[in-house]
Amino acid sequence: GFMEQTNNKPDWTRVAEVELVYKAKIKASERPKIATSKDCYDLLLNLWNDSKMELQEEFKVLLLDRSSRVKGIYEASMGGITGTVADPRLILAAALKSLSVGLVLSHNHPSGNLTPSRADEELTMKIREAAKYHDIKVLDHIILSTEGYYSFADEGLL
């Protein structure tokens, strides 16, 4: 009867609130400006933990504004010795949350070999395609080691 139906009715108040938070403590004019892959590498080297560079693979994303200034860095994942898995959804969420218009993907190869793997290329294209729908441009993917770097953009892979 009627009483049974009301008991099964969903409780519309039991909905979690979703907070999108991006806190910028640095004035836009003071943010580092990126013009070349070398700029990206220099900045990333500065932000990377030296002791981990040759130890474990990490994936980080630089979030850029319209004037190619860095709004922030998103640490997408920290992996083991053999690799890391970066989730495109989380990377996109960070880009959207910070209202970024450009992304520079980056990860280190602890081995020092800078050649991108097939997985590196596939992930780059996947993120590039997903970002495109939101008018966000993947400007580069930098693979870095203490010795140097590899730029997808410079190599014409983007």
Side-chain angles (χ1 to χ4, degrees), residues 107-120:
H107 75 283
N108 64 313
H109 279 178
S111 66
N113 172 6
L114 296 171
T115 317
S117 68
R118 188 78 204 99
D120 292 341

Side-chain angles (χ1 to χ4, degrees), residues 1-10:
F2 180 72
M3 280 311 290
E4 287 156 10
Q5 285 174 343
T6 53
N7 290 347
N8 294 337
K9 202 169 160 232

Side-chain angles (χ1 to χ4, degrees), residues 26-153:
I26 301 155
K27 290 203 291 269
S29 59
E30 291 169 5
R31 296 174 188 153
K33 198 178 170 77
I34 296 289
T36 65
S37 59
K38 177 77 168 73
D39 292 343
C40 295
Y41 177 63
D42 292 342
L43 177 63
L44 288 162
L45 264 191
N46 195 45
L47 296 168
W48 225 272
N49 180 335
D50 284 351
S51 62
K52 287 186 185 158
M53 179 70 81
E54 293 176 2
L55 195 67
Q56 63 182 151
E57 200 172 289
E58 293 181 272
F59 199 107
K60 301 177 197 257
V61 183
L62 295 176
L63 306 160
L64 309 180
D65 66 13
R66 285 191 193 292
S67 22
S68 296
R69 289 184 183 276
V70 180
K71 297 183 86 164
I73 185 162
Y74 172 62
E75 311 228 343
S77 69
M78 203 174 286
I81 296 154
T82 53
T84 181
V85 179
D87 188 329
R89 283 170 298 194
L90 293 175
I91 290 169
L92 222 59
L96 292 167
K97 198 180 282 188
S98 57
L99 300 178
S100 301
V101 294
L103 301 178
V104 174
L105 311 175
S106 73
H107 75 283
N108 64 313
H109 279 178
S111 66
N113 172 6
L114 296 171
T115 317
S117 68
R118 188 78 204 99
D120 292 341
E121 290 174 15
E122 282 166 12
L123 181 66
T124 305
M125 296 317 146
K126 194 172 186 177
I127 295 168
R128 188 186 70 172
E129 284 310 300
K132 205 186 278 179
Y133 286 110
H134 304 282
D135 298 319
I136 298 167
K137 216 170 158 48
V138 172
L139 302 165
D140 207 343
H141 185 161
I142 304 281
I143 297 174
L144 62 161
S145 76
T146 44
E147 302 296 302
Y149 70 98
Y150 177 98
S151 156
F152 275 62

